[in-house]
Amino acid sequence: MAIEMSIKDLYEVGESFESCVGSGSKSERARIPKNTSRINLSEELINKIATYPNKVNCLVSGEIWCPDFQLNISILKKFVDINDNFDISVITMGRGKKFMSEALNIEKEKFKGPTIAFLDENYEIIGIFEERPKSVLKFENFEDVKIDYYKGKYLSDTINDYLDILDIL
């Protein structure tokens, strides 16, 4: 018999952002505050995030050692810090590939980390963010932007993707 897990089941078995970061190595943990310090939000954006009225459960499939996770989930954590309507639950890539890919209709072979499912209070899917911001995914050769990307030069693009998913812009 095949085991199935709903999006809600996956959310409930996930761990907190803090717990996930805590399981990382010292250098992996150190990258989170470093990335967070590079996030520039205008007063206007902070207000829009702070006043977002709906509950948003962010189901994240990813691993702390992954630079894409370190960059993009730091931003998600910033949203949580600004507005407690946002919440994060982190599951492993293994669990994501096995169960979340199916729930999101993403082929297992194409499932990338981190994948974030933005969910409403009833665990219905609002939108999905996969691996990197759209602006970075557009480059034919990631090597062309890799260094700038890892230095946080595209954090605002991730922020815009999140705001777009949430229809905040």
Side-chain angles (χ1 to χ4, degrees), residues 48-108:
K48 283 183 177 183
I49 295 165
T51 58
Y52 192 73
N54 309 327
K55 176 81 177 135
V56 181
N57 294 311
C58 303
L59 175 61
V60 177
S61 175
E63 307 286 342
I64 185 61
W65 55 260
C66 171
D68 295 306
F69 180 96
Q70 294 163 4
L71 285 162
N72 298 311
I73 309 311
S74 294
I75 295 169
L76 214 47
K77 174 65 171 108
K78 190 89 169 165
F79 279 46
V80 170
D81 292 344
I82 294 170
N83 183 337
D84 59 14
N85 275 339
F86 291 90
D87 191 49
I88 302 172
S89 178
V90 183
I91 60 172
T92 62
M93 276 302 292
R95 196 170 256 163
K97 266 189 176 114
K98 187 170 183 176
F99 300 110
M100 192 173 166
S101 64
E102 200 170 300
L104 300 178
N105 291 318
I106 299 171
E107 290 176 45
K108 281 184 174 56

Side-chain angles (χ1 to χ4, degrees), residues 32-63:
I32 301 299
K34 188 175 184 179
N35 289 333
T36 303
S37 72
R38 294 172 167 161
I39 300 169
N40 280 320
L41 293 172
S42 68
E43 207 55 49
E44 182 191 2
L45 272 184
I46 291 171
N47 287 333
K48 283 183 177 183
I49 295 165
T51 58
Y52 192 73
N54 309 327
K55 176 81 177 135
V56 181
N57 294 311
C58 303
L59 175 61
V60 177
S61 175
E63 307 286 342

